Amino acid sequence: MTLSAKELVIVRESASAILEELELDAYLFEVEPKNSHYELLVECACEIDGGWASMSLMLPKEKVLAGFDDLEVRRQLFEYWNKKLSACKRRVAREDI
């Protein structure tokens, strides 16, 4: 599969933006190109046991490259990732004292 540097940058930046919106406490991620899709590999701090969990999400190539600017597609991806990453610890809102 031929992958341009520009496509990879778009996919990584878009994935990073959605992961930030999910407000995960601690995470690492990588995007790997496959034949007809991208694979998003996420490692995150776990809510339950304080350990780390690893997950893999499939991202359809067409949606990823064209859809992140589409608010409806972005909402669908956000909801899907939110469900798949539900075991991940979320940031706690801190009130100013």
Side-chain angles (χ1 to χ4, degrees):
M1 169 183 169
T2 303
L3 175 69
S4 74
K6 181 179 177 180
E7 284 179 345
L8 188 56
V9 167
I10 290 169
V11 174
R12 283 192 55 78
E13 287 179 353
S14 298
S16 179
I18 290 181
L19 289 168
E20 278 298 312
E21 284 180 43
L22 290 171
E23 296 185 340
L24 303 179
D25 187 50
Y27 67 92
L28 301 169
F29 78 97
E30 188 58 58
V31 175
E32 292 186 6
K34 302 295 182 185
N35 289 330
S36 63
H37 65 280
Y38 293 95
E39 185 176 11
L40 176 66
L41 305 168
V42 179
E43 291 186 29
C44 63
C46 238
E47 184 69 47
I48 298 170
D49 62 7
W52 283 74
S54 297
M55 285 146 240
S56 172
L57 303 172
M58 188 183 80
L59 309 174
K61 186 176 182 178
E62 299 78 31
K63 262 191 182 179
V64 174
L65 293 175
F68 278 107
D69 291 331
D70 181 322
L71 293 178
E72 180 59 22
V73 170
R74 187 178 177 102
R75 183 192 62 77
Q76 290 171 357
L77 289 169
F78 178 87
E79 289 177 2
Y80 173 67
W81 292 13
N82 193 37
K83 287 178 189 173
K84 296 297 269 183
L85 300 172
S86 63
C88 296
K89 185 176 180 181
R90 305 304 166 114
R91 279 182 245 155
V92 177
R94 297 186 175 114
E95 295 182 26
D96 293 334
I97 298 176

Coordinates of all heavy atoms in Angstrom, one line a residue:
M1 N 0.8 -1.2 0.0 CA 0.0 0.0 0.0 C 0.9 1.2 0.0 O 1.8 1.3 0.8 CB -0.9 0.0 1.2 CG -1.6 1.3 1.5 SD -2.6 1.2 3.0 CE -3.0 2.9 3.1
T2 N 0.6 2.2 -0.9 CA 1.3 3.4 -0.9 C 0.6 4.4 0.0 O -0.6 4.7 -0.1 CB 1.3 4.0 -2.4 OG1 1.9 3.0 -3.2 CG2 2.2 5.2 -2.4
L3 N 1.4 5.0 0.9 CA 0.9 5.9 1.8 C 1.7 7.2 1.8 O 3.0 7.1 1.9 CB 1.0 5.4 3.3 CG 0.6 6.3 4.4 CD1 -0.9 6.6 4.3 CD2 0.9 5.7 5.7
S4 N 1.1 8.3 1.5 CA 1.9 9.5 1.5 C 2.1 10.1 2.9 O 1.3 9.8 3.8 CB 1.1 10.6 0.6 OG 0.0 11.1 1.3
A5 N 3.1 10.8 3.0 CA 3.4 11.4 4.3 C 2.3 12.4 4.7 O 1.9 12.4 5.9 CB 4.7 12.2 4.3
K6 N 1.7 13.0 3.7 CA 0.6 13.9 4.0 C -0.6 13.2 4.6 O -1.2 13.7 5.6 CB 0.2 14.7 2.7 CG -0.9 15.7 2.9 CD -1.3 16.4 1.6 CE -2.4 17.3 1.8 NZ -2.8 18.0 0.6
E7 N -1.0 12.0 4.0 CA -2.1 11.2 4.5 C -1.8 10.8 5.9 O -2.7 10.9 6.8 CB -2.3 10.0 3.6 CG -3.0 10.3 2.3 CD -3.2 9.0 1.5 OE1 -2.6 8.0 1.8 OE2 -4.0 9.1 0.6
L8 N -0.6 10.3 6.2 CA -0.3 9.9 7.6 C -0.4 11.0 8.6 O -0.9 10.8 9.7 CB 1.1 9.2 7.6 CG 1.5 8.6 8.9 CD1 0.4 7.5 9.3 CD2 2.8 7.9 8.8
V9 N 0.0 12.2 8.2 CA -0.1 13.4 9.1 C -1.5 13.7 9.4 O -1.9 13.9 10.5 CB 0.7 14.6 8.5 CG1 0.3 15.9 9.2 CG2 2.2 14.3 8.5
I10 N -2.4 13.6 8.3 CA -3.8 13.9 8.5 C -4.4 12.9 9.5 O -5.2 13.3 10.4 CB -4.5 13.9 7.1 CG1 -4.1 15.1 6.3 CG2 -6.0 13.9 7.3 CD1 -4.6 15.0 4.8
V11 N -4.1 11.6 9.3 CA -4.7 10.6 10.1 C -4.3 10.7 11.6 O -5.1 10.7 12.5 CB -4.4 9.2 9.5 CG1 -4.9 8.1 10.5 CG2 -5.0 9.0 8.2
R12 N -3.0 10.9 11.8 CA -2.4 11.1 13.1 C -3.0 12.3 13.8 O -3.4 12.2 15.0 CB -0.9 11.1 13.1 CG -0.3 9.8 12.9 CD 1.2 9.8 13.1 NE 1.6 10.3 14.4 CZ 1.5 9.6 15.6 NH1 1.1 8.4 15.6 NH2 1.9 10.1 16.7
E13 N -3.0 13.4 13.1 CA -3.6 14.7 13.8 C -5.0 14.5 14.1 O -5.5 15.0 15.1 CB -3.3 15.9 12.9 CG -1.9 16.3 12.8 CD -1.6 17.5 11.9 OE1 -2.5 17.9 11.2 OE2 -0.5 18.0 11.9
S14 N -5.8 13.9 13.2 CA -7.2 13.7 13.5 C -7.5 12.8 14.6 O -8.3 13.0 15.5 CB -7.9 13.2 12.2 OG -7.8 14.1 11.1
A15 N -6.7 11.7 14.7 CA -6.8 10.7 15.8 C -6.4 11.4 17.1 O -7.1 11.2 18.1 CB -5.9 9.5 15.5
S16 N -5.4 12.2 17.1 CA -5.0 12.9 18.3 C -6.0 13.8 18.8 O -6.3 13.9 20.0 CB -3.7 13.6 18.0 OG -3.2 14.3 19.1
A17 N -6.7 14.5 17.9 CA -7.7 15.5 18.2 C -8.9 14.8 18.9 O -9.4 15.2 19.9 CB -8.2 16.3 17.0
I18 N -9.3 13.6 18.4 CA -10.5 12.9 19.0 C -10.1 12.3 20.3 O -10.8 12.4 21.3 CB -11.0 11.9 18.0 CG1 -11.7 12.6 16.8 CG2 -12.0 10.9 18.7 CD1 -12.3 11.6 15.8
L19 N -8.9 11.8 20.4 CA -8.4 11.2 21.7 C -8.3 12.3 22.7 O -8.7 12.0 23.9 CB -7.0 10.5 21.5 CG -7.1 9.2 20.7 CD1 -5.7 8.7 20.3 CD2 -7.8 8.1 21.5
E20 N -7.9 13.5 22.4 CA -7.9 14.6 23.3 C -9.3 14.9 23.8 O -9.5 15.2 25.0 CB -7.2 15.8 22.7 CG -5.7 15.8 22.8 CD -5.2 15.7 24.2 OE1 -5.6 16.5 25.1 OE2 -4.3 14.9 24.5
E21 N -10.3 14.9 22.9 CA -11.7 15.2 23.2 C -12.2 14.2 24.2 O -13.1 14.5 25.0 CB -12.5 15.2 22.0 CG -12.4 16.5 21.1 CD -13.3 16.4 19.9 OE1 -14.4 16.0 20.0 OE2 -12.8 16.8 18.8
L22 N -11.7 13.0 24.1 CA -12.2 11.9 25.0 C -11.6 12.1 26.4 O -12.1 11.4 27.4 CB -11.7 10.5 24.5 CG -12.4 10.1 23.2 CD1 -11.8 8.8 22.7 CD2 -13.9 9.8 23.5
E23 N -10.7 13.0 26.6 CA -10.1 13.3 27.9 C -9.6 12.1 28.7 O -9.8 11.9 29.8 CB -11.2 14.1 28.8 CG -11.5 15.4 28.2 CD -12.5 16.2 29.0 OE1 -13.1 15.7 29.9 OE2 -12.5 17.5 28.8
L24 N -8.8 11.3 27.9 CA -8.2 10.2 28.6 C -7.1 10.7 29.5 O -6.4 11.7 29.2 CB -7.6 9.2 27.5 CG -8.5 8.7 26.5 CD1 -7.8 7.8 25.5 CD2 -9.7 7.9 27.1
D25 N -6.9 10.1 30.6 CA -5.9 10.5 31.6 C -4.5 10.4 31.1 O -3.7 11.3 31.2 CB -6.1 9.8 33.0 CG -5.3 10.4 34.1 OD1 -5.3 11.6 34.3 OD2 -4.6 9.6 34.7
A26 N -4.2 9.2 30.6 CA -2.8 8.9 30.1 C -3.0 7.9 29.0 O -3.6 6.9 29.1 CB -2.0 8.4 31.2
Y27 N -2.3 8.2 27.9 CA -2.4 7.3 26.7 C -1.3 7.5 25.8 O -0.6 8.5 25.7 CB -3.8 7.4 26.0 CG -3.9 8.7 25.3 CD1 -3.6 8.9 24.0 CD2 -4.4 9.9 26.0 CE1 -3.7 10.1 23.3 CE2 -4.6 11.1 25.3 CZ -4.2 11.2 24.0 OH -4.3 12.4 23.4
L28 N -1.1 6.4 25.0 CA -0.1 6.5 23.8 C -0.9 5.9 22.7 O -1.8 5.1 22.8 CB 1.1 5.6 24.1 CG 1.9 5.9 25.3 CD1 2.9 4.8 25.6 CD2 2.7 7.2 25.1
F29 N -0.6 6.4 21.5 CA -1.3 5.8 20.3 C -0.3 5.8 19.1 O 0.6 6.5 19.0 CB -2.5 6.6 20.0 CG -2.3 7.9 19.2 CD1 -2.4 8.0 17.9 CD2 -2.0 9.1 19.9 CE1 -2.2 9.1 17.2 CE2 -1.8 10.2 19.3 CZ -1.9 10.3 17.9
E30 N -0.7 4.9 18.2 CA 0.0 4.8 16.9 C -1.0 4.5 15.8 O -2.0 3.8 16.1 CB 1.1 3.7 17.0 CG 2.0 3.6 15.8 CD 2.7 4.9 15.6 OE1 3.5 5.4 16.5 OE2 2.6 5.5 14.5
V31 N -0.7 5.0 14.6 CA -1.6 4.7 13.5 C -0.8 3.8 12.5 O 0.4 4.2 12.2 CB -2.0 6.0 12.8 CG1 -2.8 5.7 11.5 CG2 -2.8 6.8 13.7
E32 N -1.3 2.7 12.1 CA -0.7 1.8 11.2 C -1.5 1.6 9.9 O -2.7 1.3 10.0 CB -0.4 0.4 11.8 CG 0.6 0.4 12.9 CD 0.9 -1.0 13.4 OE1 0.4 -2.0 12.8 OE2 1.6 -1.0 14.4
P33 N -1.0 1.9 8.7 CA -1.7 1.7 7.5 C -1.9 0.2 7.2 O -0.9 -0.5 7.3 CB -0.9 2.5 6.5 CG 0.5 2.5 7.0 CD 0.4 2.4 8.5
K34 N -3.0 -0.1 6.7 CA -3.3 -1.5 6.2 C -3.8 -1.4 4.8 O -3.8 -0.3 4.2 CB -4.4 -2.2 7.1 CG -4.0 -2.3 8.6 CD -2.8 -3.2 8.8 CE -2.4 -3.3 10.3 NZ -1.2 -4.1 10.5
N35 N -4.2 -2.4 4.2 CA -4.6 -2.4 2.8 C -5.8 -1.4 2.5 O -5.7 -0.5 1.7 CB -5.0 -3.8 2.2 CG -3.8 -4.6 2.1 OD1 -2.7 -4.1 1.9 ND2 -3.9 -5.9 2.3
S36 N -6.9 -1.6 3.2 CA -8.1 -0.8 2.9 C -8.5 0.1 4.1 O -9.5 0.7 4.1 CB -9.3 -1.7 2.5 OG -9.6 -2.5 3.6
H37 N -7.7 0.1 5.2 CA -8.0 0.8 6.4 C -6.8 1.2 7.2 O -5.7 0.8 6.8 CB -9.0 0.0 7.3 CG -8.4 -1.2 7.8 ND1 -8.2 -2.4 7.1 CD2 -7.8 -1.5 9.1 CE1 -7.7 -3.3 7.8 NE2 -7.4 -2.8 9.0
Y38 N -7.0 1.9 8.2 CA -5.9 2.2 9.1 C -6.2 1.5 10.4 O -7.4 1.3 10.8 CB -5.7 3.7 9.4 CG -5.3 4.5 8.2 CD1 -6.2 5.1 7.4 CD2 -3.9 4.6 7.9 CE1 -5.8 5.9 6.3 CE2 -3.5 5.4 6.8 CZ -4.5 6.0 6.0 OH -4.1 6.7 4.9
E39 N -5.2 1.2 11.2 CA -5.4 0.6 12.5 C -4.9 1.5 13.5 O -3.7 2.0 13.4 CB -4.7 -0.8 12.6 CG -4.9 -1.5 13.9 CD -4.3 -2.9 13.9 OE1 -3.5 -3.2 13.1 OE2 -4.6 -3.6 14.9
L40 N -5.7 1.9 14.5 CA -5.3 2.8 15.6 C -5.1 1.9 16.8 O -5.9 1.2 17.3 CB -6.5 3.8 15.9 CG -6.2 4.7 17.1 CD1 -5.1 5.7 16.8 CD2 -7.5 5.5 17.4
L41 N -3.8 1.9 17.2 CA -3.4 1.2 18.4 C -3.3 2.2 19.6 O -2.6 3.2 19.5 CB -2.1 0.5 18.2 CG -2.0 -0.4 16.9 CD1 -0.6 -0.8 16.6 CD2 -2.9 -1.6 17.1
V42 N -4.1 1.9 20.6 CA -4.1 2.8 21.8 C -3.8 2.0 23.0 O -4.3 0.9 23.3 CB -5.5 3.4 22.0 CG1 -5.6 4.3 23.2 CG2 -6.0 4.1 20.7
E43 N -2.9 2.5 23.8 CA -2.6 2.0 25.1 C -3.0 3.1 26.1 O -2.6 4.3 25.9 CB -1.1 1.7 25.3 CG -0.6 0.5 24.5 CD 0.8 0.2 24.7 OE1 1.3 0.4 25.9 OE2 1.4 -0.4 23.8
C44 N -3.7 2.8 27.1 CA -4.2 3.8 28.1 C -4.2 3.3 29.5 O -4.2 2.1 29.7 CB -5.6 4.2 27.7 SG -6.8 2.9 27.8
A45 N -4.1 4.2 30.4 CA -4.2 3.9 31.8 C -5.6 3.4 32.1 O -6.6 3.9 31.6 CB -4.0 5.1 32.7
C46 N -5.7 2.3 32.9 CA -7.0 1.7 33.1 C -7.7 2.2 34.3 O -7.1 2.5 35.3 CB -6.8 0.2 33.4 SG -7.7 -0.8 32.2
E47 N -9.0 2.4 34.3 CA -9.8 3.0 35.4 C -9.9 2.0 36.5 O -9.8 2.3 37.7 CB -11.2 3.3 34.9 CG -12.1 4.0 35.9 CD -11.7 5.4 36.2 OE1 -11.4 6.1 35.3 OE2 -11.6 5.7 37.4
I48 N -10.0 0.7 36.2 CA -10.3 -0.3 37.2 C -9.1 -0.7 38.1 O -9.2 -0.6 39.3 CB -10.9 -1.6 36.6 CG1 -12.3 -1.2 35.9 CG2 -11.2 -2.7 37.6 CD1 -12.8 -2.3 35.0
D49 N -8.1 -1.1 37.5 CA -7.0 -1.7 38.3 C -5.7 -0.8 38.3 O -4.7 -1.2 38.9 CB -6.6 -3.1 37.8 CG -6.1 -3.1 36.3 OD1 -5.9 -2.0 35.7 OD2 -5.9 -4.2 35.8
G50 N -5.7 0.3 37.6 CA -4.6 1.2 37.6 C -3.5 0.7 36.7 O -2.5 1.4 36.5
G51 N -3.7 -0.4 36.0 CA -2.7 -0.9 35.0 C -2.9 -0.2 33.6 O -3.6 0.9 33.6
W52 N -2.4 -0.8 32.6 CA -2.6 -0.3 31.3 C -3.3 -1.3 30.4 O -3.2 -2.5 30.6 CB -1.2 0.0 30.6 CG -0.6 1.3 31.2 CD1 -0.1 1.5 32.4 CD2 -0.6 2.5 30.5 NE1 0.3 2.8 32.6 CE2 0.1 3.5 31.4 CE3 -0.9 3.0 29.3 CZ2 0.3 4.8 31.1 CZ3 -0.7 4.3 28.9 CH2 -0.1 5.2 29.8
A53 N -4.2 -0.8 29.5 CA -4.9 -1.6 28.6 C -4.5 -1.3 27.2 O -4.1 -0.1 26.9 CB -6.4 -1.4 28.7
S54 N -4.5 -2.2 26.3 CA -4.2 -2.0 24.9 C -5.4 -2.4 24.0 O -6.0 -3.4 24.3 CB -3.0 -2.9 24.4 OG -1.8 -2.6 25.1
M55 N -5.7 -1.5 23.1 CA -6.8 -1.7 22.2 C -6.5 -1.4 20.8 O -5.6 -0.5 20.5 CB -8.0 -0.8 22.6 CG -8.7 -1.4 23.8 SD -9.3 0.0 24.8 CE -8.5 -0.2 26.3
S56 N -7.2 -2.0 19.8 CA -7.0 -1.7 18.4 C -8.3 -1.4 17.8 O -9.3 -2.1 18.0 CB -6.4 -3.0 17.8 OG -6.4 -2.9 16.4
L57 N -8.3 -0.3 17.1 CA -9.6 0.2 16.4 C -9.3 0.2 14.9 O -8.3 0.8 14.5 CB -10.0 1.6 16.9 CG -10.2 1.7 18.4 CD1 -10.4 3.2 18.7 CD2 -11.4 0.9 18.8
M58 N -10.2 -0.3 14.1 CA -10.1 -0.2 12.7 C -10.7 1.1 12.2 O -11.8 1.5 12.6 CB -10.8 -1.4 12.0 CG -10.6 -1.4 10.5 SD -11.5 -2.7 9.7 CE -13.1 -2.0 9.6
L59 N -10.0 1.8 11.3 CA -10.5 3.1 10.8 C -10.6 3.0 9.3 O -9.6 2.8 8.6 CB -9.5 4.2 11.1 CG -9.1 4.4 12.6 CD1 -8.1 5.4 12.7 CD2 -10.3 4.7 13.4
P60 N -11.8 3.0 8.7 CA -12.0 3.0 7.3 C -11.2 4.1 6.6 O -11.4 5.3 7.0 CB -13.5 3.1 7.0 CG -14.1 2.7 8.3 CD -13.1 3.1 9.4
K61 N -10.4 3.8 5.6 CA -9.6 4.8 5.0 C -10.3 6.0 4.5 O -10.0 7.2 4.7 CB -8.8 4.2 3.8 CG -7.8 5.1 3.2 CD -6.9 4.4 2.2 CE -5.9 5.4 1.6 NZ -5.1 4.7 0.6
E62 N -11.5 5.8 3.8 CA -12.2 6.9 3.2 C -12.8 7.8 4.3 O -12.8 9.0 4.1 CB -13.4 6.3 2.4 CG -13.0 5.5 1.2 CD -12.6 4.0 1.6 OE1 -13.2 3.5 2.6 OE2 -11.8 3.5 0.9
K63 N -13.3 7.2 5.4 CA -13.8 8.0 6.5 C -12.7 8.9 7.1 O -12.9 10.0 7.4 CB -14.5 7.2 7.5 CG -15.9 7.1 7.4 CD -16.5 6.4 8.6 CE -18.0 6.3 8.4 NZ -18.7 5.6 9.5
V64 N -11.6 8.2 7.3 CA -10.5 8.9 8.0 C -10.0 10.1 7.2 O -9.8 11.2 7.7 CB -9.4 7.9 8.3 CG1 -8.2 8.7 8.9 CG2 -9.8 6.9 9.3
L65 N -9.7 9.9 5.9 CA -9.2 10.9 5.1 C -10.1 12.0 4.7 O -9.8 13.2 4.6 CB -8.5 10.3 3.8 CG -7.3 9.4 4.1 CD1 -6.9 8.8 2.8 CD2 -6.2 10.2 4.7
A66 N -11.4 11.7 4.6 CA -12.4 12.7 4.1 C -13.3 13.1 5.2 O -13.9 14.2 5.2 CB -13.2 12.1 3.0
G67 N -13.5 12.3 6.2 CA -14.6 12.5 7.2 C -14.3 13.3 8.4 O -15.2 13.7 9.1
F68 N -13.1 13.5 8.8 CA -12.8 14.2 10.0 C -13.2 15.7 10.0 O -13.5 16.3 11.0 CB -11.3 14.1 10.4 CG -11.0 12.8 11.1 CD1 -10.2 11.9 10.4 CD2 -11.3 12.6 12.4 CE1 -9.9 10.7 11.1 CE2 -11.0 11.4 13.0 CZ -10.3 10.5 12.4
D69 N -13.4 16.2 8.8 CA -13.9 17.6 8.7 C -15.4 17.6 8.7 O -16.0 18.6 8.8 CB -13.4 18.2 7.4 CG -11.9 18.5 7.4 OD1 -11.4 18.7 8.6 OD2 -11.2 18.5 6.4
D70 N -16.0 16.4 8.5 CA -17.5 16.3 8.5 C -17.9 16.1 9.9 O -17.6 15.1 10.6 CB -17.9 15.1 7.6 CG -19.4 14.9 7.5 OD1 -20.1 15.1 8.5 OD2 -19.8 14.5 6.5
L71 N -18.7 17.0 10.5 CA -19.1 17.0 11.9 C -19.9 15.7 12.3 O -19.7 15.1 13.3 CB -19.9 18.2 12.3 CG -19.1 19.5 12.3 CD1 -20.1 20.7 12.6 CD2 -18.0 19.5 13.2
E72 N -20.7 15.2 11.4 CA -21.5 14.0 11.6 C -20.6 12.8 11.7 O -20.7 11.9 12.6 CB -22.6 13.8 10.6 CG -23.4 12.5 10.8 CD -24.2 12.5 12.1 OE1 -24.4 13.5 12.8 OE2 -24.5 11.4 12.6
V73 N -19.6 12.7 10.8 CA -18.7 11.5 10.8 C -17.8 11.6 12.0 O -17.6 10.6 12.7 CB -17.8 11.5 9.5 CG1 -16.7 10.5 9.6 CG2 -18.7 11.2 8.3
R74 N -17.4 12.8 12.4 CA -16.5 13.0 13.6 C -17.3 12.6 14.8 O -16.8 12.0 15.7 CB -16.1 14.5 13.6 CG -15.1 14.7 14.7 CD -14.7 16.2 14.7 NE -13.8 16.5 15.8 CZ -12.5 16.6 15.7 NH1 -11.9 16.5 14.5 NH2 -11.8 16.9 16.7
R75 N -18.6 13.0 14.9 CA -19.4 12.6 16.1 C -19.5 11.1 16.1 O -19.4 10.5 17.2 CB -20.8 13.2 15.9 CG -21.7 12.9 17.1 CD -23.2 13.3 16.9 NE -23.7 12.6 15.8 CZ -24.2 11.3 15.8 NH1 -24.0 10.6 17.0 NH2 -24.7 10.7 14.8
Q76 N -19.8 10.4 15.0 CA -19.9 8.9 15.0 C -18.6 8.3 15.4 O -18.6 7.3 16.2 CB -20.2 8.5 13.6 CG -21.6 8.8 13.1 CD -21.9 8.5 11.7 OE1 -21.0 8.1 11.0 NE2 -23.1 8.7 11.2
L77 N -17.4 8.8 15.0 CA -16.2 8.2 15.4 C -15.9 8.5 16.9 O -15.5 7.6 17.6 CB -15.0 8.8 14.5 CG -15.0 8.4 13.1 CD1 -14.0 9.3 12.3 CD2 -14.6 6.9 13.0
F78 N -16.3 9.7 17.3 CA -16.1 10.0 18.8 C -16.9 9.0 19.6 O -16.4 8.4 20.6 CB -16.5 11.4 19.0 CG -16.5 11.8 20.5 CD1 -15.3 12.3 21.0 CD2 -17.5 11.7 21.3 CE1 -15.2 12.7 22.4 CE2 -17.5 12.0 22.7 CZ -16.3 12.5 23.2
E79 N -18.2 8.8 19.3 CA -19.0 7.9 20.0 C -18.5 6.4 20.0 O -18.5 5.8 21.0 CB -20.5 7.9 19.5 CG -21.2 9.2 19.8 CD -22.6 9.3 19.3 OE1 -23.0 8.4 18.6 OE2 -23.2 10.4 19.5
Y80 N -18.1 6.0 18.8 CA -17.5 4.6 18.7 C -16.2 4.5 19.5 O -16.1 3.5 20.3 CB -17.2 4.3 17.2 CG -16.5 3.0 17.0 CD1 -17.2 1.8 17.2 CD2 -15.2 3.0 16.5 CE1 -16.5 0.6 17.0 CE2 -14.6 1.8 16.2 CZ -15.2 0.6 16.5 OH -14.5 -0.6 16.3
W81 N -15.3 5.4 19.4 CA -14.1 5.4 20.2 C -14.4 5.5 21.7 O -13.7 4.8 22.5 CB -13.1 6.5 19.8 CG -12.6 6.3 18.4 CD1 -13.0 5.5 17.4 CD2 -11.5 7.1 17.8 NE1 -12.3 5.7 16.3 CE2 -11.4 6.7 16.5 CE3 -10.7 8.1 18.3 CZ2 -10.4 7.2 15.6 CZ3 -9.7 8.6 17.5 CH2 -9.6 8.2 16.2
N82 N -15.3 6.3 22.1 CA -15.7 6.5 23.5 C -16.1 5.1 24.1 O -15.8 4.8 25.2 CB -16.8 7.5 23.6 CG -17.0 8.0 25.0 OD1 -16.0 8.1 25.8 ND2 -18.2 8.2 25.4
K83 N -16.9 4.4 23.3 CA -17.4 3.0 23.7 C -16.2 2.1 23.8 O -16.1 1.3 24.8 CB -18.5 2.5 22.8 CG -19.8 3.2 23.0 CD -20.8 2.6 22.0 CE -22.1 3.5 21.9 NZ -23.0 3.1 20.9
K84 N -15.4 2.0 22.8 CA -14.3 1.1 22.7 C -13.3 1.3 23.8 O -12.6 0.4 24.2 CB -13.7 1.1 21.3 CG -14.6 0.6 20.2 CD -15.0 -0.8 20.4 CE -14.1 -1.8 19.7 NZ -14.5 -3.2 19.7
L85 N -13.1 2.6 24.1 CA -12.1 3.0 25.1 C -12.7 3.2 26.5 O -12.1 3.9 27.3 CB -11.3 4.2 24.6 CG -10.6 4.0 23.3 CD1 -10.0 5.3 22.8 CD2 -9.5 3.0 23.4
S86 N -13.8 2.6 26.8 CA -14.5 2.9 28.0 C -13.7 2.4 29.3 O -13.9 2.9 30.4 CB -15.9 2.2 28.0 OG -15.8 0.8 27.9
A87 N -12.8 1.5 29.1 CA -12.0 1.0 30.3 C -10.9 2.0 30.6 O -10.3 1.9 31.7 CB -11.4 -0.3 29.9
C88 N -10.6 3.0 29.7 CA -9.6 3.9 30.0 C -10.0 4.9 31.0 O -11.1 5.4 31.1 CB -9.2 4.7 28.7 SG -8.6 3.6 27.4
K89 N -9.0 5.3 31.9 CA -9.2 6.3 32.9 C -9.3 7.7 32.3 O -8.6 8.0 31.3 CB -8.0 6.3 33.9 CG -8.2 7.2 35.0 CD -7.0 7.0 36.0 CE -7.2 7.9 37.2 NZ -6.0 7.8 38.1
R90 N -10.3 8.4 32.7 CA -10.5 9.8 32.2 C -10.0 10.8 33.2 O -9.8 10.6 34.4 CB -12.0 10.1 32.0 CG -12.8 9.0 31.2 CD -12.1 8.9 29.8 NE -12.6 7.7 29.1 CZ -13.3 7.8 28.0 NH1 -13.7 8.9 27.5 NH2 -13.7 6.6 27.4
R91 N -9.6 12.0 32.6 CA -9.1 13.1 33.4 C -10.2 13.5 34.4 O -11.3 13.6 34.1 CB -8.7 14.3 32.6 CG -7.3 14.1 32.0 CD -7.0 15.3 31.2 NE -6.9 14.8 29.8 CZ -7.1 15.6 28.7 NH1 -7.3 16.8 28.8 NH2 -7.0 15.0 27.5
V92 N -9.8 13.9 35.6 CA -10.7 14.4 36.6 C -10.6 15.9 36.5 O -9.6 16.5 36.5 CB -10.3 13.9 38.0 CG1 -11.2 14.5 39.1 CG2 -10.3 12.4 38.1
A93 N -11.8 16.5 36.4 CA -11.9 18.0 36.4 C -11.4 18.5 37.8 O -11.9 18.1 38.8 CB -13.3 18.5 36.1
R94 N -10.5 19.4 37.7 CA -10.0 20.0 39.0 C -10.6 21.4 39.1 O -10.5 22.2 38.2 CB -8.5 20.1 39.0 CG -7.9 18.7 38.9 CD -6.4 18.7 39.1 NE -5.9 17.4 39.1 CZ -5.2 16.8 38.2 NH1 -4.8 17.5 37.2 NH2 -4.7 15.6 38.3
E95 N -11.1 21.7 40.3 CA -11.7 23.0 40.6 C -10.6 23.9 41.1 O -9.7 23.4 41.9 CB -12.8 22.9 41.6 CG -14.0 22.2 41.0 CD -15.2 22.1 42.0 OE1 -15.3 23.0 42.8 OE2 -16.0 21.2 41.9
D96 N -10.6 25.1 40.7 CA -9.6 26.1 41.3 C -10.0 26.4 42.7 O -11.1 26.6 43.1 CB -9.6 27.4 40.5 CG -9.0 27.2 39.1 OD1 -8.2 26.2 38.9 OD2 -9.4 28.0 38.2
I97 N -9.0 26.4 43.6 CA -9.2 26.6 45.0 C -8.9 28.0 45.3 O -8.0 28.6 44.9 CB -8.4 25.7 45.9 CG1 -8.9 24.2 45.6 CG2 -8.6 26.0 47.3 CD1 -8.1 23.2 46.3

